[in-house]
């Protein structure tokens, strides 16, 4: 009789154990990258806010900039002092800021903390997307390695880090877009109505934050139609 050590069942069990260990290691590393991304963004945000004694574009942007527009609009909405038509485009970021200010007060530190968290979560989602896409690649790079590389590159991307403390849509919109991509991959892998609903809601939020996301909608609808077959 065949020895249990060299039986196909034994090989399958070894493979399952190795896969489980690889997945745990991936999530531990990914968690470390997310934490590092959050700390990095917090540190850079505070440093930029403190530069020049606080007289800078983070704390006191020029009245001619979008940053000042977002600060003033969100502050007026949160205080209940905005009584005219709200037609600034793109407008959703001002609503997002107004919600933060209404709930927690007009704290620059809180805003930096929230946007640092969004940037860190975006890095984590990039890791999940990278691993998922790595499974369908040529196999030259292991899926988990691809995921870790994607997360690390997102965590260290200079543009995403440096824009964190500013009153601009960059951080929120990058979060919406990577979340939307992750949800669409979930829909394609596991076609369920709730994943499709979540993708639609996130797409709507992304469109309200920046209207050019409308151009992604036809491709999303086509992908959903193919997944439903």
């Amino acid at each position: 009789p065949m020895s249990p050590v060299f039986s196909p069942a034994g090989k399958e069990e070894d493979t399952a154990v190795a896969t489980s260990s690889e997945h745990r290691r991936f999530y531990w590393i990914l968690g470390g990258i997310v934490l590092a991304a959050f700390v990095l963004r917090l540190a850079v945000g505070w440093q930029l806010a403190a530069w020049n004694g606080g007289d800078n574009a983070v704390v006191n942007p020029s009245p001619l900039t979008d940053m000042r527009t977002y600060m003033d609009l969100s502050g007026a909405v949160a205080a209940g002092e905005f009584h005219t038509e709200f037609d600034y485009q793109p407008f959703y970021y001002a609503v997002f800021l107004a919600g933060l200010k209404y709930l927690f007060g007009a704290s620059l530190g809180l805003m930096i903390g929230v946007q640092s968290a969004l940037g860190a979560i975006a890095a984590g989602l990039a890791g999940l997307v990278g691993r998922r896409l790595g499974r369908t690649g040529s196999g030259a790079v292991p899926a988990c390695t691809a995921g870790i590389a994607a997360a690390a590159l997102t965590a260290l991307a200079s543009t995403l880090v440096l824009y964190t403390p500013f009153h601009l849509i960059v951080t929120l919109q990058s979060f919406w877009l990577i979340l939307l991509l992750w949800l669409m991959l979930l829909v394609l892998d596991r076609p369920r109505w709730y994943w499709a609903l979540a993708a639609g809601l996130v797409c709507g939020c992304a469109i309200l934050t920046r209207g050019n996301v409308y151009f992604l909608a036809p491709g999303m609808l086509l992908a959903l139609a193919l997944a439903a077959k």
Side-chain angles (χ1 to χ4, degrees):
M2 184 180 293
S3 170
V5 176
F6 300 104
S7 68
K11 290 182 179 180
E12 290 177 1
E13 290 176 2
D14 290 343
T15 301
V17 170
T19 302
S20 177
S21 176
E22 183 181 15
H23 285 174
R24 284 197 300 271
R25 184 166 59 251
F26 169 78
Y27 284 114
W28 275 109
I29 296 174
L30 184 63
I33 292 174
V34 169
L35 179 59
F38 177 68
V39 172
L40 175 63
R41 282 158 174 74
L42 272 183
V44 171
W46 280 111
Q47 184 177 17
L48 290 175
W51 180 75
N52 198 31
D55 185 15
N56 53 65
V58 174
V59 179
N60 185 32
S62 166
L64 302 177
T65 63
D66 289 343
M67 293 177 282
R68 172 60 70 180
T69 302
Y70 283 128
M71 289 179 73
D72 293 344
L73 270 178
S74 60
V77 172
E81 299 173 352
F82 191 86
H83 305 297
T84 61
E85 293 183 1
F86 191 98
D87 57 3
Y88 185 74
Q89 296 293 331
F91 81 93
Y92 186 76
Y93 183 62
V95 177
F96 167 77
L97 290 175
L100 290 180
K101 292 179 179 180
Y102 180 79
L103 292 173
F104 305 106
S107 168
L108 177 63
L110 176 71
M111 191 276 287
I112 293 175
V114 170
Q115 296 204 151
S116 295
L118 290 176
I121 294 170
L125 290 171
L128 296 177
V129 168
R131 186 181 66 161
R132 164 61 179 78
L133 295 178
R135 292 173 183 165
T136 57
S138 64
V141 178
C144 288
T145 302
I148 293 302
L153 289 172
T154 305
L156 297 174
S158 59
T159 302
L160 297 179
V161 174
L162 292 174
Y163 273 97
T164 297
F166 293 96
H167 287 74
L168 291 170
I169 68 172
V170 175
T171 299
L172 181 62
Q173 188 68 337
S174 61
F175 168 77
W176 287 137
L177 289 176
I178 190 62
L179 177 59
L180 179 59
L181 177 55
W182 179 64
L183 288 170
M184 286 302 299
L185 289 173
L186 282 179
V187 172
L188 295 177
D189 286 341
R190 287 168 279 181
R192 299 290 187 274
W193 68 267
Y194 43 84
W195 291 127
L197 176 62
L201 290 173
V202 171
C203 183
C205 291
I207 288 172
L208 291 174
T209 305
R210 187 74 175 179
N212 55 9
V213 180
Y214 266 122
F215 291 109
L216 301 180
M220 290 178 56
L221 292 174
L222 177 60
L224 291 173
L226 293 175
K229 290 184 178 181

